[in-house]
């Protein structure tokens, strides 16, 4: 099982880096912009916010590359536009970026320096390394929390599977189909536990009436996926070929778990209501098919996206096997003559979920 530190995107600016293979994530950040702008308008119109003269904004799971500043930049621009329209002096703005310690924070810090030198200066910036499944900030200190394409990543693989040595993706298809309900339930329970904790922690850190806008990869409500989640399922299929070739050990494969779960909008709504710290202002579901088509449109894009997302966790578990993984992945794409990858996209029915919340 991968540690928390392994769940980060691939560093750098190279061809297979997350920075060069994150158009899917960027598209979802663009869809979040209207909700973030609405949140900022509400906060800037609030007497209590204006009284204190400052707004603290945190992006949790910011990663690195061109997307790292997208959400906070949207918030900053909305603040200045609102104040300019009303001819008010802008509040002091404090921007905080968070991700796991192994994230490429050198690149993130350089981006923050650029942000501070922009035409809309930010008074203070900072980074907060750590898991967002832990406390990160002082009580009642944040006004806005954003999190994009990150909450589908769990704090760890489901304990029911790891403790009982149940593979998340059994090589034997019959066994895999038999175990699928148990595997899916284990992932659902781990997501429920993690998401509730996330909400509890953020409720402590947000001021009264503080706002949160989150997006995550989910599953359409009207369809139950017949197989494993799309990209982890593809990775497992590729790794299973490497097992058959003797490149990696089967026991090692059976103990490999991707800590990733795509919930339905009903799951998300139910957990928020059950936890009780937040009121749901708005929920949206987007179809990411167009972005997925681009990600799977050529062998290079297909392989680069897999590497950008999963190389760190694969290497930590299996060692230096990426050359063999790339070869097997290219073969997997080239053998898709019957369009099974396209069919898999339909079966898994991915959806992007966006939620705007107010601290109760």
């Amino acid at each position: 099982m991968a540690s928390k530190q392994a769940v980060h995107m691939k560093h750098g600016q190279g061809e297979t880096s997350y920075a060069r293979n994150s158009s899917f994530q960027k598209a979802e950040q663009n869809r979040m912009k209207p909700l973030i702008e609405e949140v900022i308008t509400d906060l800037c119109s609030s007497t209590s916010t204006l009284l204190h003269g400052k707004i603290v904004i945190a992006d949790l799971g910011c990663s690195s590359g061109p997307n790292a500043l997208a959400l906070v930049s949207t918030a900053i621009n909305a603040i200045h536009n609102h104040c300019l329209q009303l001819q008010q002096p802008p509040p002091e703005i404090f921007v905080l970026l968070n991700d796991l310690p192994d994230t490429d924070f050198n690149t993130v810090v350089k981006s923050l320096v650029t942000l501070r030198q922009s035409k809309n200066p930010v008074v203070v910036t900072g980074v907060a390394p750590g898991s967002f499944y832990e406390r990160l900030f002082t009580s009642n200190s944040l006004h806005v929390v954003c999190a994009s394409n990150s909450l589908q990543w769990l704090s760890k693989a489901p304990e029911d599977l790891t403790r009982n040595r149940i593979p998340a993706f059994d090589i034997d298809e019959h066994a895999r189909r038999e175990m699928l309900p148990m595997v899916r339930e284990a992932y659902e329970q781990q997501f429920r536990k993690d998401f509730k904790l996330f909400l509890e922690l953020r409720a402590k850190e947000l001021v009264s009436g503080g706002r949160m806008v989150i997006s995550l990869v989910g599953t359409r409500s009207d369809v139950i996926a017949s197989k494993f989640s799309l990209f982890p399922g593809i990775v497992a299929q590729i790794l299973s070929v490497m097992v058959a070739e003797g490149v990696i050990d089967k026991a090692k494969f059976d103990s490999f778990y991707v800590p990733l779960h795509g919930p339905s909008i009903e799951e998300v709504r139910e957990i928020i209501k059950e936890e009780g710290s937040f009121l749901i202002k708005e929920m949206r579901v987007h179809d990411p098919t167009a972005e997925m088509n681009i990600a799977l449109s050529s062998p290079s894009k297909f392989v680069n996206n897999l590497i950008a997302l999963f190389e760190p966790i694969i290497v930590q578990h299996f060692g230096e096997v990426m050359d063999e993984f790339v070869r097997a992945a290219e073969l997997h794409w080239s053998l898709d003559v019957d369009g099974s990858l396209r069919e898999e996209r339909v079966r898994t029915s991915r959806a992007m979920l966006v939620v705007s919340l107010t601290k109760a």
Side-chain angles (χ1 to χ4, degrees), residues 219-244:
T219 307
R220 257 178 41 205
S221 304
D222 59 334
V223 175
I224 297 177
S226 62
K227 290 192 176 182
F228 207 68
S229 300
L230 179 58
F231 282 111
I234 291 173
V235 169
Q237 291 168 25
I238 294 167
L239 291 172
S240 67
V241 171
M242 295 168 65
V243 172

Side-chain angles (χ1 to χ4, degrees), residues 173-231:
E173 185 173 357
H174 176 71
R176 185 167 66 249
R177 289 182 180 277
E178 274 201 348
M179 298 303 295
L180 180 60
M182 180 183 296
V183 170
R184 186 187 295 122
E185 174 67 17
Y187 273 90
E188 288 174 357
Q189 290 304 315
Q190 186 63 48
F191 174 79
R192 174 177 292 275
K193 179 180 178 182
D194 284 345
F195 189 43
K196 283 185 69 175
L197 178 60
F198 175 86
L199 294 171
E200 290 170 5
L201 296 173
R202 303 297 79 82
K204 293 176 181 177
E205 296 166 347
L206 279 159
V207 300
S208 177
R211 301 293 295 271
M212 188 154 62
V213 181
I214 60 174
S215 77
L216 65 160
V217 180
T219 307
R220 257 178 41 205
S221 304
D222 59 334
V223 175
I224 297 177
S226 62
K227 290 192 176 182
F228 207 68
S229 300
L230 179 58
F231 282 111

Side-chain angles (χ1 to χ4, degrees), residues 249-306:
D249 181 69
K250 184 179 182 299
K252 199 76 170 172
F253 174 83
D254 287 343
S255 64
F256 179 64
Y257 303 91
V258 179
L260 193 64
H261 175 67
S264 70
I265 198 74
E266 280 78 16
E267 281 182 77
V268 172
R269 182 185 290 111
E270 181 183 325
I271 296 167
I272 293 169
K273 290 184 176 180
E274 183 180 306
E275 194 278 328
S277 296
F278 291 89
L279 301 176
I280 299 172
K281 295 288 288 185
E282 189 169 352
M283 302 186 82
R284 297 182 180 180
V285 181
H286 304 295
D287 182 357
T289 301
E291 289 82 11
M292 285 188 175
N293 285 339
I294 293 172
L296 300 173
S297 62
S298 70
S300 60
K301 288 181 179 178
F302 171 65
V303 172
N304 290 349
N305 272 277
L306 289 181

